[in-house]
Amino acid sequence: MHPKALLDACAELVKLCLLFDHPADAVVSRYFREHRSLGPRERATLAETAFAVLRKKLLFEQLARSGSGPKERRLAILGFFGPRDFLKSALSEAEKTWLDACDKVQPSDLLAPHRHNLPEWMAKALQAQLGDDFWAWAADQQNPAPLDLRVNSLQSKRDAVLKELKQAGVEAEPTPYSPLGLRLQGKPALQKLDVFTRGAIEVQDEGSQLLALLVDPHRGEMVTDFCAGAGGKTLALGAAMRSTGRLYAFDVSAHRLEALRPRLARSGLSNVHPAAIAHERDERIKRLAGKMDRVLVDAPCSGLGTLRRNPDLKWRQSEKAVQELTAKQTSILESAARLLKPGGRLVYATCSVLQQENDDIAQAFTQTHPQFKPVPVAKELQRLKVEGAEGLCTANGDYLRLWSHRHGTDGFFAAIWERV
């Protein structure tokens, strides 16, 4: 595609993403479906440009003021993913001069909002949590997340998969914490590899793998993934159970559960039972009360631990929406807890970094449910032989807390209880 045409397409996609009518990844996917002639390089340029604008929206909008032409074009120029010479061949002389001036702006010259690129309410909450570390975290959110894989232990071993990927020309290395994780260099087309099509690997962030590890399911047990979604953690739990026992994958979205079916077919698991439920108090849930050995509640949340992957979330969330989510999280955790039998394990998790969705929910549950005894996560990770366990937890060791800038994973939180 000619540089000018590609830049025009980038501007068009940026404009669509900034409407915030739908998640950015869905907007990008739909754009590609409507423009099937686009090649892999053009698609990469379009997607990465749009996501760069979403990551640095406040900064780019500030810089765009000194330029001319349609706003979305100026934003697309600032976020353009590709060689500068290629981009400049699509620009007018005035645009080149303006872009050179923008490139000379130093971070030290910027106001705080143009450095952190977050809504003010979010920046305030995270500064209170992180202190001086806030700026390192904020800077890390401007970078794309790595691509992590989980090796399906039912089918293969990590070392064998590592060799197979290397033979296929895919650079990978073991993840530092998850014993089943691999981190890739770049974003290769995995769907074309035999190691993927036969189900030996699944795309899953290392932090998500650790959540499944904390559930610690065993052969022959009754286990529930209460908010299963597309089933990444369900598959990890099923493999840990060696495809024995019964593993229920519940979700209120039948559409999300449909995405689990092809992955389930590849995995070789036969103990998984996906079921769409109307709400957390569904009759199916009531019938299973007091029967579960393990329950994982990966609760619906703001998703702010995934900003490197989903930068639009920070513009689509609000303080009010988070408050509404916390009421939902409390209700879901209450309902899921009823499934456990005495001695059973309950794990509450989110991919949020906000205290009100994490610590506050866990502490309130502990106070109102004396029959549930908290299990310190740091000790549990040590028992599970996870290296550097203390560094993955809160200062008191009670909860798992993962930060992208410290641990290289998405932002995650987890608490564990045992029913006594």
Side-chain angles (χ1 to χ4, degrees):
M1 186 183 280
H2 191 276
K4 289 186 178 179
L6 186 55
L7 180 58
D8 288 344
C10 286
E12 183 184 2
L13 183 56
V14 164
K15 186 176 183 178
L16 292 170
C17 287
L18 289 177
L19 294 173
F20 298 119
D21 290 341
H22 302 282
D25 56 353
V27 174
V28 171
S29 295
R30 187 178 64 206
Y31 188 88
F32 289 165
R33 285 197 302 274
E34 292 170 355
H35 299 79
R36 294 188 181 276
S37 62
L38 292 167
R41 287 186 182 180
E42 292 157 345
R43 287 170 183 247
T45 298
L46 282 157
E48 294 298 337
T49 298
F51 275 68
V53 172
L54 291 166
R55 287 190 183 101
K56 299 187 177 183
K57 178 174 173 283
L58 297 182
L59 171 60
F60 287 175
E61 285 177 340
Q62 175 65 17
L63 295 174
R65 290 181 181 182
S66 58
S68 58
K71 181 182 176 182
E72 56 270 15
R73 178 180 171 87
R74 282 173 274 158
L75 294 174
I77 291 169
L78 291 166
F80 191 80
F81 179 78
R84 267 293 192 255
D85 291 346
F86 182 89
L87 170 62
K88 286 189 171 182
S89 67
L91 304 183
S92 67
E93 289 305 315
E95 286 174 327
K96 290 176 192 174
T97 303
W98 166 72
L99 180 59
D100 287 341
C102 291
D103 286 342
K104 289 175 184 173
V105 174
Q106 298 298 312
S108 56
D109 300 331
L110 301 172
L111 296 173
H114 304 141
R115 287 173 61 202
H116 62 58
N117 285 281
L118 296 165
E120 197 52 43
W121 69 270
M122 199 179 293
K124 190 176 177 182
L126 287 162
Q127 277 179 309
Q129 260 185 267
L130 283 163
D132 293 340
D133 217 17
F134 168 77
W135 288 106
W137 176 83
D140 196 48
Q141 305 319 296
Q142 313 303 328
N143 305 316
L147 180 61
D148 290 352
L149 305 177
R150 177 185 56 80
V151 175
N152 180 359
S153 59
L154 203 62
Q155 290 199 25
S156 195
K157 296 192 181 302
R158 181 159 71 170
D159 288 348
V161 169
L162 202 54
K163 286 179 185 175
E164 194 171 344
L165 287 171
K166 191 173 183 180
Q167 287 168 355
V170 177
E171 290 294 317
E173 61 183 13
T175 49
Y177 309 113
S178 168
L180 297 171
L182 292 171
R183 183 156 292 157
L184 304 191
Q185 299 294 321
K187 294 182 179 177
L190 295 172
Q191 290 86 347
K192 297 176 182 177
L193 302 179
D194 178 64
V195 69
F196 177 85
T197 55
R198 72 170 191 271
I201 54 170
E202 275 289 337
V203 174
Q204 187 178 28
D205 182 78
E206 184 185 19
S208 184
Q209 295 177 41
L210 291 177
L211 296 186
L213 194 68
L214 287 174
V215 178
D216 192 29
H218 297 99
R219 290 171 183 262
E221 288 187 333
M222 297 268 282
V223 179
T224 294
D225 187 352
F226 203 76
C227 307
K233 283 176 280 296
T234 304
L235 297 173
L237 295 173
M241 296 164 72
R242 309 307 294 170
S243 199
T244 63
R246 287 180 77 82
L247 173 53
Y248 295 93
F250 291 129
D251 203 274
V252 293
S253 170
H255 177 70
R256 281 199 295 265
L257 283 175
E258 277 300 311
L260 168 59
R261 295 192 183 279
R263 302 170 77 189
L264 193 54
R266 286 197 305 270
S267 72
L269 294 172
S270 58
N271 65 336
V272 179
H273 302 272
I277 55 175
H279 44 70
E280 66 269 19
R281 296 174 305 283
D282 191 287
E283 279 302 316
R284 294 185 191 215
I285 305 299
K286 289 179 181 177
R287 286 199 295 270
L288 292 171
K291 295 180 180 177
M292 293 295 122
D293 295 285
R294 316 268 161 170
V295 175
L296 170 62
V297 181
D298 184 10
C301 67
S302 63
L304 298 181
T306 68
L307 288 182
R308 296 178 305 166
R309 301 177 198 280
N310 306 297
D312 56 310
L313 279 177
K314 59 187 173 182
W315 310 117
R316 296 172 60 233
Q317 287 291 3
S318 67
E319 271 187 288
K320 185 182 177 185
V322 170
Q323 288 167 2
E324 291 169 357
L325 275 170
T326 57
K328 193 178 203 177
Q329 288 155 356
T330 300
S331 176
I332 288 172
L333 183 55
E334 291 262 356
S335 296
R338 297 188 188 108
L339 291 171
L340 279 165
K341 63 186 184 186
R345 169 172 293 199
L346 175 64
V347 177
Y348 171 78
T350 75
C351 56
S352 172
V353 289
L354 295 178
Q355 193 163 326
Q356 58 262 51
E357 296 184 83
N358 297 333
D359 311 56
D360 293 356
I361 299 287
Q363 288 163 10
F365 182 83
T366 298
Q367 288 169 3
T368 55
H369 294 76
Q371 72 276 37
F372 284 86
K373 175 187 168 189
V375 177
V377 173
K379 288 183 179 177
E380 192 58 17
L381 287 172
Q382 286 167 354
R383 186 183 69 79
L384 293 165
K385 296 182 170 53
V386 173
E387 290 187 26
E390 298 90 343
L392 302 174
C393 298
T394 50
N396 57 14
D398 286 353
Y399 306 131
L400 178 80
R401 191 181 332 273
L402 302 177
W403 297 96
S404 64
H405 69 296
R406 292 178 188 165
H407 307 113
T409 68
D410 286 346
F412 279 104
F413 172 89
I416 307 174
W417 296 268
E418 182 182 302
R419 182 164 191 167
V420 295

